[in-house]
Amino acid sequence: MENKTLEMIRTRRSTRAFQKSVPSSELLNAVLEAGRYAPSGGNSQTARFFCVTDPAVLDRLAEIVLKCFASMEETPGMYRSKVSSIRRAKTGNYRYDYFTPVLIIAVNDREYGNAMADCSCALENMMIAANTLDLGSCWINQLHWLTDEPELKSYLKELGVRDGETVCGSLAVGYPATESGLPNREPLPRTGNEVIYI
Ligand SMILES: Cc1cc2nc3c(=O)[nH]c(=O)nc-3n(C[C@H](O)[C@H](O)[C@H](O)COP(=O)(O)O)c2cc1C
């Protein structure tokens, strides 16, 4: 079926190399509004989104993330992306956010049962919006994993994250560092995500 929205969903891919320039506030607002218009359990609308474009803040977050992972040890059965973060951090050369010019951090009330579900709906809306606006995006999970690490917690508090909030996920957004400047839109083949019709 030909449909622009479905096409933007099918062709959304993760971007992991960005141009330095920050997209206009008009574009960023459009992405954020797509997130704000996501559904939420019981229409709670408790998620909040920190849109970080200040390079000093992005660098400080990256420094904390590197430090936290470098001090961690792998454990048997650990999620492989976490293992990869630890290994790369231990080399001292690790930038978890791919030097994105914009990081949108999604937080929600930690005691709220739909915290992650609501933020996931919002982040996916933002990724589709980014694709349709010719921006690249990538879900970045490190701040979620490290949300309770004291140094990160204290810095996030300085940025305005409340005591009762937890980081559910974050999103790198920017112009892709591709030759065309456009996102890679080659869909990944589906090997799972089975559908069972009954
Ligand atoms: C919950 C979740 C967490 C993810 N965390 C990361 C991450 O921390 N870093 C990263 O580079 N990509 C991350 N991704 C992106 C996935 O690796 C990516 O979506 C997957 O490999 C499929 O590729 P595609 O997005 O290009 O279709 C995450 C995606 C999701 C949904």
XYZ file of all heavy atoms in Angstrom, residues 65-121:
451
model
N 29.441 9.075 31.384
C 29.105 7.741 30.863
C 30.374 6.912 30.684
O 30.446 5.746 31.091
C 28.316 7.853 29.530
C 28.209 6.503 28.832
C 26.925 8.429 29.780
N 31.400 7.537 30.118
C 32.675 6.830 29.906
C 33.248 6.345 31.248
O 33.634 5.197 31.399
C 33.672 7.738 29.190
C 34.994 7.078 28.786
C 35.409 7.533 27.399
C 36.101 7.365 29.755
N 33.239 7.248 32.223
C 33.786 6.927 33.537
C 33.016 5.767 34.190
O 33.618 4.840 34.731
C 33.691 8.183 34.406
C 34.660 8.230 35.550
C 34.675 9.615 36.158
C 34.739 9.532 37.661
N 34.474 10.826 38.293
N 31.683 5.835 34.111
C 30.862 4.790 34.738
C 31.139 3.437 34.099
O 31.357 2.442 34.796
C 29.368 5.098 34.585
S 28.812 6.435 35.636
N 31.129 3.381 32.771
C 31.337 2.083 32.113
C 32.759 1.575 32.314
O 32.974 0.379 32.458
C 30.992 2.165 30.624
C 29.522 2.012 30.364
C 28.779 3.060 29.858
C 28.878 0.815 30.650
C 27.415 2.922 29.640
C 27.512 0.660 30.430
C 26.776 1.725 29.921
N 33.724 2.493 32.330
C 35.119 2.073 32.495
C 35.337 1.425 33.861
O 36.224 0.586 34.017
C 36.050 3.263 32.304
N 34.504 1.792 34.834
C 34.694 1.230 36.183
C 33.849 -0.037 36.397
O 33.871 -0.620 37.468
C 34.318 2.279 37.232
O 32.921 2.491 37.174
N 33.107 -0.453 35.371
C 32.258 -1.651 35.524
C 32.977 -2.896 35.031
O 33.878 -2.805 34.214
C 31.002 -1.491 34.659
C 29.958 -0.628 35.262
S 28.560 -0.688 34.118
C 27.591 0.609 34.807
N 32.529 -4.046 35.518
C 33.084 -5.320 35.035
C 31.983 -6.097 34.334
O 30.818 -6.013 34.709
C 33.625 -6.151 36.212
C 34.813 -5.510 36.928
C 35.982 -5.133 36.005
O 36.210 -5.834 35.001
O 36.653 -4.110 36.289
N 32.375 -6.835 33.326
C 31.418 -7.706 32.625
C 30.978 -8.826 33.554
O 31.770 -9.287 34.363
C 32.098 -8.367 31.419
C 32.475 -7.421 30.337
C 33.247 -8.128 29.220
O 32.965 -9.312 28.947
O 34.123 -7.478 28.640
N 29.737 -9.246 33.417
C 29.268 -10.409 34.189
C 28.678 -11.418 33.199
O 28.246 -11.020 32.103
C 28.178 -9.993 35.209
O 27.150 -9.282 34.505
C 28.745 -9.137 36.322
N 28.659 -12.686 33.581
C 28.141 -13.701 32.650
C 26.693 -13.391 32.273
O 25.893 -13.022 33.135
C 28.223 -15.016 33.443
C 29.141 -14.735 34.582
C 29.100 -13.262 34.860
N 26.392 -13.494 30.996
C 25.022 -13.294 30.518
C 24.638 -11.835 30.365
O 23.489 -11.515 30.053
N 25.600 -10.944 30.593
C 25.295 -9.503 30.481
C 24.862 -9.149 29.052
O 25.389 -9.712 28.082
C 26.551 -8.704 30.862
C 26.343 -7.219 30.991
S 27.921 -6.421 31.421
C 27.601 -5.928 33.086
N 23.906 -8.244 28.942
C 23.393 -7.776 27.645
C 24.574 -7.307 26.782
O 25.420 -6.539 27.247
C 22.418 -6.633 27.922
C 21.746 -6.007 26.718
C 21.160 -6.787 25.728
C 21.676 -4.620 26.600
C 20.536 -6.199 24.647
C 21.048 -4.022 25.521
C 20.484 -4.817 24.546
O 19.869 -4.226 23.474
N 24.615 -7.791 25.522
C 25.856 -7.591 24.748
C 26.177 -6.133 24.456
O 27.346 -5.758 24.348
C 25.872 -8.438 23.478
C 24.816 -8.118 22.467
C 24.825 -9.172 21.355
N 23.585 -9.129 20.630
C 23.393 -8.426 19.533
N 24.365 -7.719 19.025
N 22.211 -8.420 18.935
N 25.152 -5.283 24.378
C 25.438 -3.864 24.147
C 26.130 -3.244 25.362
O 26.954 -2.343 25.235
C 24.152 -3.089 23.866
O 23.524 -3.610 22.728
N 25.762 -3.751 26.551
C 26.406 -3.254 27.777
C 27.862 -3.710 27.812
O 28.764 -2.941 28.155
C 25.678 -3.813 28.996
C 24.911 -2.766 29.760
C 24.364 -3.347 31.043
C 23.144 -2.552 31.437
N 22.468 -3.082 32.603
N 28.081 -4.976 27.433
C 29.448 -5.513 27.393
C 30.291 -4.655 26.451
O 31.411 -4.267 26.762
C 29.437 -6.991 26.912
C 30.848 -7.486 26.616
C 28.753 -7.870 27.944
N 29.703 -4.326 25.297
C 30.442 -3.536 24.312
C 30.744 -2.139 24.864
O 31.839 -1.605 24.664
C 29.620 -3.512 23.025
O 29.762 -2.321 22.344
N 29.805 -1.551 25.599
C 30.047 -0.246 26.207
C 31.202 -0.329 27.202
O 32.073 0.547 27.234
C 28.801 0.257 26.940
O 27.779 0.534 26.023
N 31.215 -1.384 28.027
C 32.272 -1.541 29.035
C 33.635 -1.693 28.355
O 34.599 -1.019 28.702
C 31.975 -2.758 29.946
C 30.729 -2.484 30.796
C 33.170 -3.093 30.826
C 30.217 -3.683 31.583
N 33.664 -2.568 27.343
C 34.950 -2.815 26.658
C 35.472 -1.547 26.004
O 36.656 -1.226 26.086
C 34.787 -3.906 25.598
C 34.620 -5.267 26.246
C 34.585 -6.381 25.227
N 34.268 -7.641 25.908
C 33.967 -8.768 25.306
N 33.942 -8.816 23.982
N 33.697 -9.853 25.994
N 34.571 -0.828 25.347
C 35.032 0.377 24.649
C 35.423 1.460 25.642
O 36.388 2.202 25.436
C 33.972 0.851 23.660
C 34.034 0.009 22.378
C 32.757 -0.084 21.641
N 32.277 1.217 21.191
C 31.010 1.464 20.911
N 30.101 0.534 21.060
N 30.640 2.651 20.502
N 34.677 1.558 26.740
C 35.001 2.590 27.741
C 36.376 2.327 28.345
O 37.123 3.260 28.633
C 33.930 2.618 28.822
N 36.698 1.051 28.524
C 37.995 0.711 29.131
C 39.164 1.094 28.225
O 40.287 1.233 28.701
C 38.037 -0.768 29.521
C 37.216 -1.064 30.792
C 37.424 -2.482 31.281
C 36.464 -2.871 32.393
N 36.550 -2.076 33.623
N 38.924 1.285 26.935
C 40.001 1.742 26.042
C 40.204 3.258 26.204
O 41.188 3.817 25.729
C 39.679 1.482 24.553
O 38.610 2.354 24.163
C 39.303 0.044 24.278
N 39.239 3.918 26.824
C 39.313 5.366 27.030
C 38.813 6.137 25.820
O 38.710 7.357 25.833
N 38.496 5.405 24.760
C 38.057 6.054 23.533
C 36.625 5.596 23.220
O 36.426 4.649 22.465
C 39.030 5.663 22.401
C 38.677 6.364 21.106
O 37.943 7.342 21.108
N 39.196 5.842 19.997
N 35.681 6.247 23.871
C 34.287 5.788 23.768
C 33.362 6.989 23.851
O 33.393 7.727 24.824
C 34.000 4.808 24.913
C 32.555 4.417 25.073
C 31.842 3.856 24.023
C 31.902 4.603 26.291
C 30.516 3.481 24.184
C 30.583 4.233 26.472
C 29.894 3.664 25.413
O 28.593 3.309 25.572
N 32.576 7.162 22.825
C 31.611 8.260 22.826
C 30.238 7.638 22.582
O 29.863 7.338 21.436
C 31.982 9.281 21.746
C 31.083 10.484 21.718
C 31.355 11.463 22.854
N 30.358 12.509 22.791
C 30.514 13.746 23.234
N 31.635 14.110 23.813
N 29.538 14.625 23.137
N 29.502 7.453 23.672
C 28.241 6.708 23.608
C 27.203 7.347 22.706
O 26.310 6.680 22.198
C 27.672 6.550 25.036
C 26.906 7.771 25.513
C 25.531 7.763 25.602
C 27.587 8.948 25.822
C 24.829 8.880 26.007
C 26.890 10.073 26.229
C 25.519 10.035 26.312
O 24.831 11.161 26.689
N 27.296 8.683 22.507
C 26.223 9.380 21.771
C 26.601 9.696 20.327
O 25.904 10.457 19.659
C 25.825 10.665 22.509
C 26.940 11.708 22.510
O 28.069 11.398 22.045
O 26.694 12.836 22.968
N 27.698 9.118 19.861
C 28.147 9.310 18.468
C 28.344 10.794 18.128
O 28.151 11.196 16.991
C 27.163 8.673 17.473
C 26.825 7.244 17.804
C 25.567 6.896 18.287
C 27.770 6.237 17.652
C 25.258 5.582 18.603
C 27.468 4.909 17.966
C 26.204 4.596 18.439
O 25.902 3.296 18.757
N 28.675 11.592 19.137
C 28.873 13.043 18.937
C 27.648 13.695 18.301
O 27.763 14.561 17.433
C 30.128 13.323 18.099
C 31.404 12.940 18.791
C 32.021 11.725 18.534
C 31.971 13.785 19.738
C 33.198 11.360 19.195
C 33.154 13.426 20.400
C 33.760 12.218 20.108
N 26.490 13.271 18.724
C 25.267 13.888 18.215
C 25.232 15.371 18.586
O 25.678 15.751 19.678
C 24.017 13.191 18.806
O 22.851 13.806 18.246
C 23.929 13.289 20.317
N 24.691 16.222 17.727
C 24.553 17.628 18.104
C 23.346 17.867 19.024
O 23.242 18.916 19.652
C 24.346 18.341 16.760
C 23.742 17.301 15.870
C 24.276 15.972 16.331
N 22.429 16.886 19.060
C 21.201 17.025 19.867
C 20.909 15.697 20.558
O 20.886 14.654 19.900
C 19.971 17.353 18.969
C 18.722 17.556 19.817
C 20.232 18.542 18.077
N 20.678 15.759 21.857
C 20.253 14.555 22.578
C 18.958 14.872 23.311
O 18.899 15.820 24.104
C 21.332 14.113 23.581
C 21.054 12.746 24.215
C 21.301 11.620 23.202
C 21.929 12.514 25.445
N 17.932 14.090 22.992
C 16.651 14.272 23.683
C 16.551 13.177 24.747
O 16.555 11.983 24.420
C 15.473 14.187 22.694
C 15.586 15.306 21.647
C 14.133 14.262 23.441
C 14.586 15.219 20.504
N 16.509 13.592 25.996
C 16.465 12.625 27.105
C 15.027 12.524 27.606
O 14.439 13.531 28.010
C 17.400 13.074 28.257
C 18.823 13.339 27.727
C 17.433 12.031 29.365
C 19.762 13.984 28.749
N 14.485 11.311 27.552
C 13.095 11.102 27.986
C 13.090 10.573 29.410
O 13.683 9.526 29.698
C 12.406 10.114 27.057
N 12.446 11.296 30.304
C 12.358 10.857 31.704
C 10.883 10.707 32.076
O 10.001 11.261 31.420
C 13.048 11.859 32.667
C 14.471 12.145 32.235
C 12.272 13.166 32.798
N 10.658 9.939 33.115
C 9.286 9.737 33.586
C 9.330 9.388 35.074
O 10.405 9.072 35.614
C 8.622 8.614 32.779
C 7.127 8.840 32.602
O 6.492 9.505 33.434
N 6.556 8.294 31.545
N 8.170 9.419 35.706
C 8.111 9.090 37.137
C 8.546 7.644 37.347
O 7.979 6.738 36.719
C 6.671 9.249 37.655
C 6.244 10.707 37.632
O 7.130 11.584 37.479
O 5.033 10.972 37.753
N 9.516 7.429 38.240
C 10.053 6.075 38.382
C 9.051 5.090 38.970
O 9.138 3.888 38.743
C 11.376 6.052 39.142
C 11.374 6.566 40.547
C 12.714 6.319 41.228
N 13.824 7.007 40.570
C 14.932 6.407 40.156
N 15.070 5.110 40.287
N 15.908 7.097 39.612
N 8.078 5.558 39.709
C 7.095 4.646 40.321
C 5.911 4.350 39.392
O 5.046 3.550 39.725
C 6.540 5.250 41.625
C 7.578 5.537 42.703
C 8.319 4.269 43.133
O 7.739 3.173 43.044
O 9.499 4.397 43.535
N 5.851 5.009 38.247
C 4.709 4.869 37.340
C 4.917 3.637 36.442
O 5.921 3.543 35.741
C 4.591 6.164 36.528
C 3.678 6.123 35.326
C 2.383 5.612 35.417
C 4.104 6.623 34.099
C 1.550 5.600 34.311
C 3.281 6.616 32.986
C 2.012 6.087 33.099
O 1.194 6.062 31.994
N 3.979 2.723 36.477
C 4.124 1.444 35.772
C 4.274 1.558 34.268
O 4.841 0.678 33.626
N 3.754 2.612 33.670
C 3.854 2.762 32.214
C 4.956 3.745 31.804
O 4.955 4.235 30.665
C 2.516 3.258 31.641
C 1.442 2.192 31.718
O 1.708 1.023 31.464
N 0.224 2.584 32.068
N 5.879 3.985 32.723
C 6.920 4.985 32.440
C 7.667 4.664 31.147
O 7.796 5.506 30.242
C 7.895 5.061 33.611
N 8.146 3.448 31.040
C 8.938 3.057 29.871
C 8.057 2.980 28.622
O 8.455 3.434 27.539
C 9.623 1.714 30.155
C 10.420 1.162 29.021
S 11.714 2.275 28.427
C 13.094 1.786 29.433
N 6.863 2.418 28.772
C 5.967 2.280 27.609
C 5.634 3.655 27.031
O 5.705 3.876 25.810
C 4.694 1.540 28.017
N 5.300 4.588 27.889
C 4.937 5.934 27.412
C 6.132 6.604 26.721
O 5.984 7.222 25.658
C 4.471 6.824 28.570
C 3.103 6.413 29.119
O 2.529 5.439 28.610
O 2.620 7.073 30.065
N 7.300 6.493 27.342
C 8.487 7.129 26.735
C 8.841 6.453 25.420
O 9.270 7.116 24.467
C 9.677 7.082 27.692
S 9.575 8.327 28.986
N 8.645 5.135 25.339
C 8.955 4.428 24.094
C 8.041 4.892 22.967
O 8.496 5.084 21.833
C 8.814 2.915 24.277
O 9.731 2.463 25.239
N 6.759 5.072 23.283
C 5.826 5.583 22.259
C 6.307 6.958 21.783
O 6.317 7.252 20.576
C 4.411 5.716 22.835
S 3.586 4.149 23.102
